[in-house]
């Protein structure tokens, strides 16, 4: 059993990319991060690999476990073919400790996540708690019965009158963050300039948004699905998310993928009606700082 610690993202990409592709939808986050780091064109915020932790655990047969962490976010893991090897997890944790890597939390497939947390807690004495329970879904074809409402368009700079509030409200709803606007407008303009954030308008009024992100080999992610409270219950979120999903499929991707919070039955119901089907459950676990 060998712990491999990487300082060069291109070497890490060459070693683990094909392994992560075995479960492309499940590995939406680590694959998306790895592609961004390997391309090296976008080093905004967390995207600069210089601060990343990248590691794998292998034996004579190949890679058993892959780990990537893009501070300040949690570590994400993948057990090759979802075969969990306890020795590989312990080997990874030993490598983390020897290299003095601080792990705020872990977010990955539920069984692997809980197994890692158990061993990591035992090794470090840090207690842990389940922060969020999620489910990954994928879609191959949008349900044709979802009505098209209004007009779907790309976000533009004139949307800055409301878009920062929508983005922070989305973060608050999904991650429990306090709604606080970033004083740097570039933080929000970044989403607009990437040309991946879509606004749904009804009678020339912006009513909902959805963003495509993490464009991989055959799968493209969907996120930032948000409708302000005043406009909810009118089918806007369904129409907006379905419209962006349809665009992704029309652009040549085989599948769309997204995360849902299991504590939110409304959003889970919406996505199932659009055509999204469950892939696996994911847990986010936080470690205390003692």
């Amino acid at each position: 059993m060998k712990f491999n610690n990487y300082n060069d993202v291109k070497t890490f990409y060459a070693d683990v990319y094909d392994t992560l592709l075995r479960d492309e939808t499940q590995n939406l986050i680590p694959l998306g991060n790895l592609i961004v780091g390997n391309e090296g064109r976008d080093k905004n915020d967390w995207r600069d690999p210089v601060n990343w932790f990248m590691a794998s655990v292998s034996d004579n047969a190949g890679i058993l476990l892959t780990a990537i962490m893009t501070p300040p976010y949690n570590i994400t893991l993948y057990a090759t073919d979802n075969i969990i090897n306890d020795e590989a997890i312990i080997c990874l944790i030993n490598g983390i400790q020897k290299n003095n890597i601080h792990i705020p939390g872990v977010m990955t497939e539920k069984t692997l996540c809980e197994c890692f947390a158990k061993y990591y807690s035992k090794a470090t004495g840090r207690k842990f708690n389940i922060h969020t329970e999620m489910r990954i879904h994928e879609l191959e074809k949008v349900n044709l019965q979802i009505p098209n409402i209004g007009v779907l368009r790309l976000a533009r700079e004139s949307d800055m009158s409301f878009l920062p509030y929508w983005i922070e409200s989305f973060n608050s709803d999904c991650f429990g963050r306090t709604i606080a606007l970033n004083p740097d407008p570039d933080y929000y303009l970044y989403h607009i300039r990437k040309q991946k954030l879509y606004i749904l308008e009804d009678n020339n009024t912006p009513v909902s948004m959805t963003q495509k992100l993490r464009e991989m080999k055959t799968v493209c992610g969907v996120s930032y699905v948000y409708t302000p409270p005043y406009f909810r219950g009118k089918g806007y979120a369904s129409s907006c998310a379905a419209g962006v999903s349809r665009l992704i499929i029309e652009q040549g991707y085989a599948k769309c993928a997204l995360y849902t919070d299991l504590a939110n039955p409304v959003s889970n119901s919406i996505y199932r009606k659009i055509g999204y089907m469950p892939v696996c459950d994911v847990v986010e676990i936080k470690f205390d700082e003692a």
Side-chain angles (χ1 to χ4, degrees), residues 96-244:
I96 288 171
Q97 290 185 287
K98 287 179 181 178
N99 287 275
N100 296 315
I101 304 299
H102 176 73
I103 306 293
V106 55
M107 188 176 81
T108 194
E109 186 276 326
K110 182 177 180 179
T111 305
L112 176 59
C113 191
E114 292 174 346
C115 190
F116 175 87
K118 177 184 70 176
Y119 283 118
Y120 185 73
S121 178
K122 182 178 179 180
T124 63
R126 296 173 65 189
K127 295 180 180 179
F128 65 90
N129 63 83
I130 294 177
H131 185 262
T132 311
E133 294 182 278
M134 296 166 282
R135 182 164 291 157
I136 300 177
H137 296 73
E138 66 181 17
L139 170 147
E140 296 182 3
K141 185 178 180 180
V142 175
N143 180 1
L144 296 178
Q145 295 182 351
I146 300 297
N148 292 319
I149 303 173
V151 177
L152 191 65
R153 63 165 175 81
L154 283 168
R156 51 197 182 218
E157 291 198 18
S158 60
D159 296 328
M160 285 290 288
S161 60
F162 64 87
L163 196 57
Y165 300 94
W166 285 21
I167 289 175
E168 295 306 336
S169 295
F170 169 85
N171 290 332
S172 176
D173 288 351
C174 291
F175 309 115
R177 300 178 189 172
T178 301
I179 297 178
L181 296 183
N182 192 313
D184 183 1
D186 281 339
Y187 175 80
Y188 304 105
L189 287 168
Y190 173 85
H191 292 276
I192 296 171
R193 291 165 181 164
K194 292 295 288 184
Q195 295 286 280
K196 295 178 183 179
L197 181 61
Y198 290 82
I199 303 295
L200 180 68
E201 286 187 349
D202 190 18
N203 293 320
N204 296 316
T205 300
V207 293
S208 189
M209 72 174 181
T210 301
Q211 180 171 279
K212 65 175 186 177
L213 78 171
R214 301 185 186 279
E215 297 164 301
M216 296 181 282
K217 190 172 183 178
T218 68
V219 179
C220 182
V222 171
S223 186
Y224 279 96
V225 181
Y226 178 77
T227 301
Y230 179 79
F231 296 118
R232 292 175 187 173
K234 301 179 182 180
Y236 292 140
S238 296
S239 182
C240 190
V244 173

Side-chain angles (χ1 to χ4, degrees), residues 4-21:
N4 311 291
N5 190 21
Y6 297 83
N7 294 315
D8 177 59
V9 68
K10 292 190 176 298
T11 303
F12 184 58
Y13 179 95
D15 283 359
V16 308
Y17 179 74
D18 288 340
T19 299
L20 293 174
L21 271 182

